[in-house]
Amino acid sequence: MGNGKSSLGIDENVANFLSYLLGWLSGLVFLFLEKQNNNVRFHAAQSVVIFGVLTLASLVVSVIPGIGGLLQALIGLAAFGLWIVLMVTSVMDKPPRLPVVDQPAEQLDRTVRNLLDR
């Protein structure tokens, strides 16, 4: 199981799983509530970045005449696949740090941490 606890009193892997459960929404909750566990904070930030970008992309392509619906469906499929992979790997103590969103997630975590420290 988890190799640590979150400041919320739950196992780290459970907190990581819950960070991905509702996409960017649950990521935001854990990003703002978790105070000590950097791994949980990173995965919460990664959830916000990944699923936030995919949500925005889906909204943007939905207005493209003709192929907007197809593009939206493809984004939805990609989001669903990523969601399953991230949730399964988080329970198995192996949540990945996705290279494309690694830096933006770390920056988001630092920004929120600075906001909360004020």
Side-chain angles (χ1 to χ4, degrees):
M1 288 277 114
N3 57 358
K5 292 274 189 187
S6 78
S7 64
L8 301 170
I10 55 179
D11 286 337
E12 181 178 298
N13 63 332
V14 173
N16 289 339
F17 174 85
L18 292 173
S19 292
Y20 293 113
L21 184 63
L22 298 175
W24 60 267
L25 182 62
S26 57
L28 271 178
V29 169
F30 275 87
L31 189 58
F32 279 94
L33 293 182
E34 178 58 47
K35 302 295 183 207
Q36 298 170 337
N37 190 311
N38 291 331
N39 192 40
V40 171
R41 290 185 57 79
F42 172 80
H43 287 288
Q46 182 169 261
S47 180
V48 170
V49 171
I50 290 170
F51 296 111
V53 166
L54 288 172
T55 299
L56 289 174
S58 181
L59 289 171
V60 168
V61 300
S62 70
V63 299
I64 299 173
I67 63 166
L70 174 63
L71 293 174
Q72 194 173 21
L74 290 173
I75 290 169
L77 264 155
F80 182 72
L82 264 173
W83 181 68
I84 294 295
V85 167
L86 290 168
M87 289 195 7
V88 167
T89 57
S90 68
V91 172
M92 297 169 55
D93 292 332
K94 300 174 191 169
R97 293 175 71 104
L98 301 176
V100 175
V101 296
D102 193 327
Q103 294 300 320
E106 287 179 358
Q107 182 60 45
L108 176 62
D109 181 24
R110 280 192 298 273
T111 302
V112 171
R113 192 177 299 254
N114 287 339
L115 274 171
L116 295 176
D117 287 343
R118 289 183 185 182

